Amino acid sequence: MHKTTRLVSLFGALALVTAACSSSATTAPSAAAPSAAAPSAAASAAAPSAAAPSAAALTGSLAVWEAYGASGTSEKDAFDKMVANVMAANPGLTVTVTDVPFANLFTNFETQAGAGSGPDLYIAPNDNLPKEARAGLLKDVSSLIPILTAAPYNASKVSIDAATVDGKLYEIPESMKAVELFYNNTMITTAPATTADWMTNAKQLGWVYGANGGGSYYLWGLFSSFGGTIMDATTGKCTADQKGVADALKWLADMKAAGMKFYQNDGDAKADLLSGKIAGFIDGPWQSGDLTKALGTKLSVTAGPTGPGGAWAPLTAPDGFYVNATSPNADLAVQFALQMLLPANEQLFANAGHLPANTTLQPTDPIAQSFAALMAKGFARPTLKQLDGYWPNFQNALNAVIDKGTDPTKAVADACAAMNKANGIQ
């Protein structure tokens, strides 16, 4: 996300360790926004203390996980520079950064933290935030709310809300994200705005649907285009079988028949966009840096398709830092996260396509500006526990419709029943 504040790039002794983490589990990339209420004053007061930003230099050792290597070089380079800056400002601090494949990140953390080990903290979208918070794997940082919402952090209310589970803050928000349409404006000169426009341009467009690429995440924004919803906001009961969702899947099947290319992961879609095999596909701001480098002014961003039921509304939520509840260095980890989010450091991430949770950092890059303008139109990602039942079951429905030609109404009914069953809802 966004632009340049001048900083001194000091790369001290940054310890980078590349992990060959092994796990077959796949978690839908997620982005999302507020669905939990902001913590009450009582909850914040009762929360374990989290020290205000330290005036003293930080000392000690920290292990940090991130997964930015999965989306190209821009995010990873920016993160490494931010760590280097924090270490240069704190000569007694050693930080070991491990790049974990995104598909393994949450499972590896949950397995290791559950056994009392794992990193001191990690940074990621809030995909598994509710699950990990309720499992007691994350440090309650609710007492940071007054600090994060004041200068110099100026975290938005939406980012705080989206980082909150059951009235407590478990994530230190860094940026906001949602998915929109990247397209080459020399291949498609008029941005496709509606589902009909997309159909006209079907042979020039791509769609990420595979589980390895988080297909059920990219799919979400399309539900509102057809007037569908996935779950009741209060009970978590699946509502997808009532209207709209099956129509969204049918539209995708029709788009495939009309020539739209379908991808197992966004890396393959990105390669085809850069080579000119397609003119556009849905993805998030984490791709902005690399795509802008390659396409320059040929790259544009617009919302996904508006349909007969309404506007495109993708999941919106923050990336942020999660502190391992079992870490003996938890307080140091909090202080490290706060230094990573100082404006001069956060601006590096802004330049790499992150849309800051800090409301005073404004993007100047046109692509970042486009994402920032569209972010408010997203769907606040629920933190209801019942959302866990969405990912595997609606990924199965998507696969069935696209790969096997299953009737969308049946696929959605089956997914909805399976989701309710997993959640113990009759």
Side-chain angles (χ1 to χ4, degrees):
M1 199 159 103
H2 319 41
K3 270 5 342 155
T4 74
T5 290
R6 188 168 187 132
L7 8 117
V8 182
S9 298
L10 300 172
F11 297 98
L14 177 61
L16 293 175
V17 181
T18 301
C21 296
S22 59
S23 171
S24 58
T26 300
T27 305
S30 222
S35 64
S40 65
S44 296
S49 63
S54 175
L58 305 184
T59 60
S61 298
L62 289 173
V64 182
W65 287 2
E66 47 76 24
Y68 294 124
S71 57
T73 60
S74 295
E75 282 185 301
K76 183 70 171 73
D77 289 350
F79 187 82
D80 290 348
K81 288 176 183 177
M82 292 164 70
V83 174
N85 288 338
V86 173
M87 288 177 55
N90 299 274
L93 178 67
T94 300
V95 181
T96 301
V97 178
T98 302
D99 186 77
V100 180
F102 186 80
N104 302 336
L105 180 64
F106 299 110
T107 299
N108 285 6
F109 175 77
E110 290 157 14
T111 299
Q112 294 188 31
S117 60
D120 297 299
L121 74 164
Y122 77 102
I123 184 169
N126 74 346
D127 299 33
N128 284 27
L129 167 65
K131 175 184 177 183
E132 292 175 359
R134 293 180 177 115
L137 301 180
L138 303 175
K139 178 179 174 63
D140 175 1
V141 292
S142 298
S143 60
L144 284 180
I145 292 174
I147 296 167
L148 292 171
T149 54
Y153 303 104
N154 300 299
S156 66
K157 183 180 185 298
V158 67
S159 71
I160 295 295
D161 287 350
T164 298
V165 178
D166 300 334
K168 296 180 181 179
L169 188 73
Y170 289 99
E171 175 187 10
I172 302 173
E174 178 270 323
S175 62
M176 300 298 293
K177 60 177 54 172
V179 294
E180 310 291 352
L181 174 66
F182 283 107
Y183 70 99
N184 184 324
N185 55 45
T186 66
M187 296 177 67
I188 297 180
T189 56
T190 300
T194 67
T195 50
D197 294 339
W198 274 63
M199 186 64 70
T200 299
N201 291 283
K203 293 181 180 179
Q204 292 185 287
L205 295 169
W207 193 279
V208 177
Y209 83 105
N212 290 338
S216 53
Y217 165 61
Y218 290 88
L219 177 64
W220 187 285
L222 195 60
F223 299 146
S224 61
S225 302
F226 287 87
T229 61
I230 288 296
M231 59 196 293
D232 182 273
T234 301
T235 66
K237 183 174 182 178
C238 182
T239 57
D241 55 354
Q242 295 179 13
K243 67 172 185 175
V245 175
D247 294 331
L249 291 181
K250 182 181 185 303
W251 178 81
L252 282 178
D254 291 343
M255 287 292 290
K256 181 181 180 182
M260 186 163 74
K261 294 180 175 61
F262 282 76
Y263 296 91
Q264 286 294 322
N265 60 76
D266 59 354
D268 291 341
K270 175 181 176 181
D272 278 2
L273 175 61
L274 295 180
S275 69
K277 291 181 180 178
I278 59 173
F281 73 105
I282 295 286
D283 214 326
W286 53 89
Q287 297 286 8
S288 298
D290 286 356
L291 290 177
T292 299
K293 285 180 184 177
L295 296 176
T297 58
K298 295 179 182 179
L299 183 68
S300 293
V301 168
T302 191
T306 294
W312 166 265
L315 287 173
T316 307
D319 264 25
F321 288 97
Y322 303 86
V323 177
N324 188 336
T326 65
S327 167
N329 305 309
D331 291 337
L332 178 62
V334 168
Q335 293 297 327
F336 168 78
L338 291 175
Q339 291 206 14
M340 289 285 281
L341 296 184
L342 290 173
N345 280 331
E346 180 60 19
Q347 193 68 53
L348 284 174
F349 247 164
N351 298 345
H354 281 229
L355 304 170
N358 186 329
T359 59
T360 66
L361 295 181
Q362 298 301 320
T364 58
D365 174 76
I367 297 301
Q369 289 176 347
S370 296
F371 268 107
L374 293 167
M375 201 67 62
K377 300 176 183 178
F379 186 96
R381 184 176 182 197
T383 56
L384 287 173
K385 183 179 186 301
Q386 289 83 356
L387 184 65
D388 292 347
Y390 164 74
W391 305 110
N393 293 307
F394 281 84
Q395 182 66 57
N396 290 341
L398 179 58
N399 292 345
V401 171
I402 299 303
D403 292 337
K404 301 176 182 178
T406 301
D407 175 67
T409 300
K410 181 181 187 309
V412 168
D414 290 346
C416 216
M419 178 176 171
N420 285 333
K421 181 177 180 181
N423 289 327
I425 297 174
Q426 299 298 320

